């Protein structure tokens, strides 16, 4: 059961990383002078850091941000439950 929880946490973190890496393209696609969001172009950028096409750095940031957020929520709930039992 504990392994399933860890895998779910990792899955949510990957999804968070994917969303974070898409956000710059999505925000810029609505501005004049930028091309519309293209899933294929975004996918090609997953393998590179920074630059005009690189989104790997945003993915890594989003992954760890989401993972830390999940761990913080779990810790808060654990501490909250312990204080309720006292």
């Amino acid at each position: 059961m504990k392994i399933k929880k860890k895998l779910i946490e990792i899955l949510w973190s990957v999804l968070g990383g994917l969303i974070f890496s898409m956000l710059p393209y999505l925000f810029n696609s609505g501005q004049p002078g930028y091309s519309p969001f293209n899933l294929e172009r975004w996918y090609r950028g997953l393998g590179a850091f920074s630059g005009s096409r690189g989104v790997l750095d945003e993915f890594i940031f989003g992954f760890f941000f989401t993972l830390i957020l999940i761990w913080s929520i779990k810790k808060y709930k654990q501490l909250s439950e312990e204080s309720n039992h006292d």
Side-chain angles (χ1 to χ4, degrees), residues 12-13 15-17 20 61-71:
W12 277 107
S13 298
L15 291 174
F20 267 78
F61 174 79
F63 178 87
F64 284 112
F65 178 82
T66 307
L67 192 60
I68 291 169
L69 184 65
I70 290 170
W71 288 346

Side-chain angles (χ1 to χ4, degrees), residues 12-66:
W12 277 107
S13 298
V14 167
L15 291 174
L18 291 174
I19 290 170
F20 267 78
S21 65
M22 285 182 183
L23 285 178
Y25 282 122
L26 290 170
F27 287 141
N28 288 334
S29 68
Q31 297 180 10
Y34 286 93
S35 60
F37 178 75
N38 183 326
L39 192 60
E40 181 182 353
R41 183 181 56 177
W42 167 81
Y43 181 72
R44 281 185 275 147
L46 269 178
F49 276 101
S50 291
S52 62
R53 294 189 178 168
V55 295
L56 188 58
D57 50 348
E58 284 110 358
F59 173 81
I60 292 170
F61 174 79
F63 178 87
F64 284 112
F65 178 82
T66 307

